[in-house]
Amino acid sequence: MADIILGIESSCDDTSAAVIRDGYLLSNVIASQDVHKAYGGVVPELASRAHELNIVPVVSEALSRAGVKPEELSAIAFTRGPGLLGSLLVGTSFAKAMGLALDIPIVMVNHLQGHLLANFIREEGKAVREPSFPYLCLLVSGGNSQIVRVDDPLHFEILGQTIDDAVGEAFDKCSKMMGLGYPGGPVIDRLAKLGDENRFQFAKPRVEGLNYSFSGIKTSLLYFVRDEMAKDPQFMEKNKEDICASFQKALIDILMGKLIKAAKQTGIREITIGGGVSANSGLRDRIVKEGAKRGWNTYLPEFKFTTDNAAMIAIAGYHHYLAGERTPLDVAPVSRMSDF
């Protein structure tokens, strides 16, 4: 009998549902929330309300595309955290209710674990390169900047992480300040392709070990642009491509410097990336080049699996389900990694 898992992701501003059968993806539906663009960032209350409106049609569409009836499901995997508490509450409550109605188990998933396993999402008729264990994952998104050692699908260790802002926050906040729009990562990446990455230099932080810091370089850019705009009000418009290229290069240098250090310290040559910022073309190119230079085996998730999506939650939940793990109905969502 096939193991069919429904995955539900609602940690931030995307409502997503996916169905997998025996580890193969049948459907992956995502409803994004454009309402946040007007505010230059995610508004938690608006996000949770949108999840309430989207969750039923998104799950229904995922089951329909997969050709799966609710009574055929083996289990429901859902994101317990970390994330926005109100958003997580919608997905968690829905999973509980549906699991109870169908009399099937629910399985909680760590959102970060989903990103770590994005390279294991299989689709019929598509070849997939899967990293061997153990591997290192550079997990980068709007809320996370981490280097993680993954020993098997269910066990991982954070070797280093940001001590302040995440790299995705640096992209978004600086893009907003420069008037380039939200989300900032895709905008800066697009403009960076047109600019000279060596024209401007930004001071890089000195942080011990494998931890990151992006608050300083973010502030450095903001003061730089402010001072130059005071001299020439057209400075930003005249130089935005070069500014974006130089800023993006500096962020990638910081990320790669610690990843290279982690690979040397652990001796691990299986290297992956994950999270929303892993869609950045400059970072993807850089990790491939560094891999070729250093003898790494590098693995890049498909673009559609870099952002928050239920396919990664479903594949993580599938492994938990096979391991015999089940989640009680009194479980509560958690907003922070430390509470998981």
Side-chain angles (χ1 to χ4, degrees), residues 189-233:
D189 189 21
R190 175 175 56 81
L191 292 173
K193 294 176 183 178
L194 306 175
D196 178 1
E197 64 180 18
N198 296 311
R199 183 174 173 198
F200 301 112
Q201 301 295 320
F202 299 101
K204 296 170 186 173
R206 295 182 179 180
V207 181
E208 295 296 323
L210 298 176
N211 286 335
Y212 287 112
S213 171
F214 293 99
S215 178
I217 190 171
K218 179 193 70 178
T219 303
S220 175
L221 173 67
L222 299 184
Y223 279 118
F224 168 72
V225 173
R226 184 201 65 180
D227 293 345
E228 293 300 325
M229 290 283 286
K231 303 173 190 175
D232 178 5

Side-chain angles (χ1 to χ4, degrees), residues 42 102 127 141 148 193 197 210 250 254 256 298:
V42 177
L102 296 173
S141 66
V148 186
K193 294 176 183 178
E197 64 180 18
L210 298 176
I254 296 170
M256 293 304 301
T298 56

Side-chain angles (χ1 to χ4, degrees), residues 104-117:
I104 58 175
I106 60 174
V107 181
M108 65 181 184
V109 173
N110 184 319
H111 176 78
L112 304 183
Q113 183 190 14
H115 283 303
L116 296 177
L117 298 179

Side-chain angles (χ1 to χ4, degrees), residues 274-330:
V277 180
S278 68
N280 181 277
S281 63
L283 178 58
R284 292 172 79 91
D285 290 344
R286 181 72 168 275
I287 200 166
V288 170
K289 291 177 181 177
E290 290 290 347
K293 176 182 176 181
R294 300 175 186 279
W296 296 347
N297 295 317
T298 56
Y299 306 84
L300 308 179
E302 288 192 48
F303 285 106
K304 62 183 178 181
F305 299 137
T306 57
T307 56
D308 294 344
N309 66 91
M312 67 183 192
I313 302 304
I315 197 64
Y318 173 66
H319 286 287
H320 284 287
Y321 177 78
L322 292 182
E325 297 183 22
R326 305 293 183 265
T327 299
L329 290 175
D330 62 355

